Amino acid sequence: MEQPRRITDSCPRRRRRRGPGRPPGRLKDKKDKDKVQVKVRDCPRSPSQPPPDAALLEMLRRFDLCWEYGPCTGITRLQRWERAQELGLSPPDPIRDALLEHRDNPEVTYRWVWGGM
Amino acid sequence: MFSEQAAPTAQGLLAPPSGEPPTFPRVPVSGYSDCSQPFQLGERSFSRQYAHIYAVRLAGMRPGLERRARSRWGSDVALRKLSELQAGEKCCVVGTLFKAMQLQPSILQEISEEHNLVPQPPLPKYIQPSDELILEDELQRIKLEGAIDVQRLVTGTIVAVYGSEQEDGKFLVEDHCFADLPPPLPWNGPSSDRFVLLASGLGLGSVSGEALLSTQLLVDVVTGQLGAEGEQSCAAHIARVILAGNLLSQNTQSRDTINKAKYLTKKTQAASVEAVKMLDEILLQLCTSVPVDVMPGEFDPTNYTLPQQPLHRCMLPLASAYATLRLVTNPYQANLDGVRFLGTSGQNISDIFKYSSMDDYLEILEWTLLAGHISPTAPDTLGCYPFYKSDPFILTECPHVYFCGNAPHFQSKLLQGKEGQRVLLVTVPDFSATQTACLVNLRDLTCQPITFSGFGADSED
């Protein structure tokens, strides 16, 4: 999974030593940081890429459940497609195009998770 | 090799040293290429399950098995999946074998509180008459009975069975076949005598130092510092040395220090540190004279799962300064002078030995070649990396020399196949127990053992 991108990544990184009297990070600060990260992650996506629609996700889910191409857990959908291609099972090409078009979206690249497994 | 050429020149040992001692140039290294890239793991991810490796194993071996089934039982034999079976119809099914063994060590049974079991001590063989064979394909599984030897086969083998499904839901087998020998490689072997020395199980770091004299004699023979001119000229024909695993002894694996208190173990060093230093010195002597390939084994400091990665060169600072030292993976494949070598350090063969009724290491080695897979019991009972893309242990080409290390005795056999395959099967014995190494002649694919021994304090003479 790629690292969440922060606004501060564009600023030069400089090591800052803590002063002697600074207390360690408090729980309240950590919660705020998480919220900020979620907001920032959605912003810097290229504007030319529309979000995938439900029909595409349904087609990918059906690709996952096809038993001919082997197990679908633990590998990305693109890896599974390429493995099926090499074994000569001729998986359909539109799936590969869809996977490459939306390669930044983790819902598309990985199999459908239910309960986060 | 050594005996017939050594005897005439033995008198040279009693002569005074000559002004110009004769030199024997070693046969030049020509045509070496390493083919073990499939066994080298780059980035390792253990977040996958093992279902992938079984799926690609079946998918990769299915076309070959279907071809074999057609040639054996007629080209019109019905090839069915288990979900398409009809009771009473004679057909052929390709799938993976699973052997349900009562005595197979199971971690779930051990930690289950309701059974209240004491952990089972390791047994030499885990087979029982009550074992059953089950055939699995992509979706279903079915019990097998009939003309199939349950005791002999192991889990993970891809097999094609011919028979029919019975009323009680079991499959009655009339005949079965494996993938058989893979297609042959063209032969480009050398035209003159060229030898490769195979040794395994040096067992450094053991409590007794008796095998050290034999190890030093081996090094001296290979580097030409032993014997008269006849032996030295013979040793010059040794083009390469392959050490097939277990360079360290099992004694270096003791982990007693974990159970002791910290103050008792503060200054102790792991036994393997001293053993690796000894290994470095021995390899240094060998590498100055001959190219050496070092394969890791069961007790060596590298990862446990197959394929074992090469030993790190920082452990062997003196020897890795020489380019003749090659640290290679555990199943090792290479082209030496046009002859394809493929071999392991013996973990695959000894694992099959534990779960099958076959007793002879050479027989098991031949069976893995005929089954088309180096180690079918991985990942069930032998640790294996969770591959997902392809199974690198499937044999796609027939090697010319197929060896396994750390066998109890030396055995060799030349196997001829129907499509012109010629394979030399060699079981390399454990050097620390038998003091025997093997010399393979690349010109005519013959193999002879060479034994080193010294006179002990309690032997006559």
Side-chain angles (χ1 to χ4, degrees), chain B residues 284-296:
Chain B
L284 175 69
Q285 296 173 47
L286 274 177
C287 289
T288 50
S289 165
V290 67
V292 184
D293 294 337
V294 180
M295 290 167 61

Side-chain angles (χ1 to χ4, degrees), chain A residues 99-117:
Chain A
L99 289 172
L100 288 174
E101 194 190 320
H102 296 276
R103 78 174 83 199
D104 293 330
N105 188 349
E107 267 187 30
V108 170
T109 45
Y110 284 93
R111 70 176 186 99
W112 170 63
V113 288
W114 183 64
M117 199 171 65

Side-chain angles (χ1 to χ4, degrees), chain B residues 204-205 248 251-253 268-281 301 315-317:
Chain B
L204 299 171
L248 267 50
N251 295 333
T252 59
Q253 299 272 298
T268 54
Q269 208 181 42
S272 50
V273 174
E274 199 55 49
V276 168
K277 274 198 219 147
M278 247 194 288
L279 175 69
D280 196 20
E281 285 159 10
M315 287 195 289
L316 310 166

Side-chain angles (χ1 to χ4, degrees), chain B residues 19-45:
Chain B
E20 266 300 321
T23 55
F24 302 97
R26 196 176 286 282
V27 288
V29 175
S30 61
Y32 170 78
S33 68
D34 188 10
C35 308
S36 30
Q37 280 80 28
F39 303 120
Q40 279 159 3
L41 306 168
E43 196 189 286
R44 277 167 261 187
S45 157

Side-chain angles (χ1 to χ4, degrees), chain B residues 62-384:
Chain B
R62 183 184 275 276
L65 269 161
E66 288 181 349
R67 246 177 294 135
R68 277 271 298 148
R70 284 202 187 90
S71 71
R72 190 166 162 140
W73 299 310
S75 50
D76 55 347
V77 67
L79 289 164
R80 298 260 182 267
K81 293 232 188 320
L82 284 177
S83 49
E84 301 161 2
L85 279 184
Q86 287 159 25
E89 183 201 1
K90 284 214 193 304
C91 58
C92 163
V93 185
V94 175
T96 318
L97 277 180
F98 175 75
K99 189 152 111 170
M101 291 186 281
Q102 199 185 15
L103 288 181
Q104 181 176 355
S106 162
I107 187 68
L108 294 176
Q109 275 183 349
E110 279 181 26
I111 62 177
S112 152
E113 280 162 5
E114 63 190 41
H115 286 255
N116 231 4
L117 283 177
V118 187
Q120 198 188 47
L123 296 170
K125 274 198 184 293
Y126 293 100
I127 53 178
Q128 279 246 289
S130 61
D131 295 338
E132 285 175 335
L133 271 184
I134 297 167
L135 187 75
E136 294 186 359
D137 72 356
E138 289 95 350
L139 296 174
Q140 293 185 357
R141 49 167 27 198
I142 194 167
K143 266 201 196 136
L144 294 179
E145 56 188 12
I148 193 160
D149 191 348
V150 179
Q151 301 298 312
R152 198 163 178 265
L153 298 173
V154 289
T155 305
T157 323
I158 309 289
V159 71
V161 291
Y162 181 71
S164 54
E165 187 189 356
Q166 301 298 294
E167 299 298 322
D168 58 356
K170 296 193 190 166
F171 194 89
L172 185 66
V173 178
E174 291 169 24
D175 196 10
H176 66 281
C177 78
F178 300 103
D180 211 14
L181 289 177
L185 278 172
W187 172 256
N188 288 328
S191 45
S192 60
D193 271 352
R194 204 157 285 199
F195 291 88
V196 170
L197 183 84
L198 291 171
S200 81
L202 292 182
L204 299 171
S206 65
V207 175
S208 76
E210 282 170 15
L212 282 179
L213 173 64
S214 314
T215 315
Q216 191 57 48
L217 286 175
L218 171 74
V219 172
D220 286 341
V221 160
V222 172
T223 52
Q225 289 165 355
L226 206 67
E229 290 173 19
E231 273 120 358
Q232 287 175 327
S233 68
C234 290
H237 288 289
I238 296 181
R240 203 166 194 96
V241 172
I242 299 181
L243 296 175
N246 279 358
L247 307 150
L248 267 50
S249 137
Q250 193 175 10
N251 295 333
T252 59
Q253 299 272 298
S254 72
R255 302 171 75 196
D256 300 334
T257 47
I258 291 182
N259 300 329
K260 290 203 189 129
K262 259 290 203 276
Y263 73 96
L264 288 169
T265 58
K266 221 172 163 79
K267 291 283 174 66
T268 54
Q269 208 181 42
S272 50
V273 174
E274 199 55 49
V276 168
K277 274 198 219 147
M278 247 194 288
L279 175 69
D280 196 20
E281 285 159 10
I282 289 179
L283 285 178
L284 175 69
Q285 296 173 47
L286 274 177
C287 289
T288 50
S289 165
V290 67
V292 184
D293 294 337
V294 180
M295 290 167 61
E298 194 182 343
F299 307 125
D300 293 329
T302 182
N303 58 318
Y304 162 71
T305 52
L306 284 192
Q308 283 183 302
Q309 298 303 289
L311 298 171
H312 202 283
R313 42 177 275 274
C314 70
M315 287 195 289
L316 310 166
L318 300 169
S320 47
Y322 289 87
T324 46
L325 178 74
R326 280 197 67 92
L327 298 163
V328 293
T329 54
N330 182 356
Y332 173 50
Q333 192 170 202
N335 273 336
L336 305 177
D337 279 332
V339 178
R340 174 71 71 98
F341 273 71
L342 171 62
T344 60
S345 301
Q347 290 113 314
N348 53 334
I349 308 294
S350 55
D351 200 59
I352 297 176
F353 175 84
K354 279 192 265 188
Y355 295 99
S356 159
S357 61
M358 295 189 273
D359 281 322
D360 190 22
Y361 270 53
L362 191 71
E363 185 190 348
I364 298 176
L365 193 65
E366 185 180 346
W367 180 81
T368 58
L369 194 61
L370 293 172
H373 200 273
I374 298 176
S375 158
T377 50
D380 186 40
T381 42
L382 186 61
C384 179

